[in-house]
């Protein structure tokens, strides 16, 4: 059974940087596209970024493009999201999620999330 566990969230000042991580287990991590999705307080889910299985392709939402970088280490079963130039609008619970095989935008496994708060 697929398991995903996020870590690395916290409180950061506007303009700061933070890296969140996701540890995957229970499935062949290197075979799947992986995503980051976030949910701000009182709002719905917002897809943030996706990376393909071999890290050759990445995609970002317009709201984070140029500021966030998704990456992965298949040898360690790890997914990362490097976040720079953070603003209060980036405050959210950040989830890592696995794409269904062959369907990049269908997410079939989720972690519990890690809280990122951007505030002075």
């Amino acid at each position: 059974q697929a398991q995903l566990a996020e870590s690395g969230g916290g409180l950061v000042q506007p303009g700061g940087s933070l890296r969140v991580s996701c540890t995957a287990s229970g499935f062949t991590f290197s075979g799947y596209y992986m995503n980051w999705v976030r949910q701000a307080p009182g709002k719905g889910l917002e897809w943030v970024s996706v990376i393909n299985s071999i890290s050759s392709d990445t995609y970002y939402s317009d709201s984070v493009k140029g500021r966030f970088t998704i990456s992965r280490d298949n040898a360690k079963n790890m997914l990362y999201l490097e976040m720079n130039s953070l603003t209060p609008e980036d405050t959210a619970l950040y989830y890592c999620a696995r794409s269904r095989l062959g369907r990049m935008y269908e997410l079939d496994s989720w972690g519990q999330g890690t809280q990122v708060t951007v505030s002075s």
Side-chain angles (χ1 to χ4, degrees):
Q1 182 176 352
Q3 291 190 328
L4 300 168
E6 301 89 344
S7 60
L11 175 65
V12 60
Q13 291 188 341
S17 298
L18 195 67
R19 187 178 81 160
V20 293
S21 304
C22 173
T23 304
S25 61
F27 67 102
T28 305
F29 178 73
S30 60
Y32 288 81
Y33 284 48
M34 295 297 298
N35 301 261
W36 287 99
V37 180
R38 67 185 182 183
Q39 186 168 29
K43 297 189 177 181
L45 293 170
E46 177 190 13
W47 173 82
V48 173
S49 182
V50 63
I51 186 168
N52 72 348
S53 57
I54 59 172
S55 303
S56 61
D57 288 320
T58 58
Y59 300 94
Y60 299 91
S61 67
D62 288 343
S63 61
V64 307
K65 196 175 297 181
R67 299 187 299 121
F68 289 13
T69 302
I70 190 171
S71 63
R72 66 191 296 163
D73 185 336
N74 286 344
K76 297 181 179 179
N77 287 356
M78 294 292 295
L79 178 72
Y80 305 101
L81 185 69
E82 181 76 32
M83 302 180 288
N84 297 312
S85 302
L86 286 161
T87 74
E89 289 68 40
D90 296 313
T91 295
L93 190 60
Y94 283 74
Y95 299 95
C96 68
R98 187 182 77 174
S99 290
R100 190 178 301 278
L101 283 174
R103 297 183 178 273
M104 185 171 73
Y105 291 113
E106 292 186 14
L107 308 183
D108 64 359
S109 292
W110 297 71
Q112 294 299 307
T114 187
Q115 179 67 41
V116 173
T117 302
V118 184
S119 175
S120 56

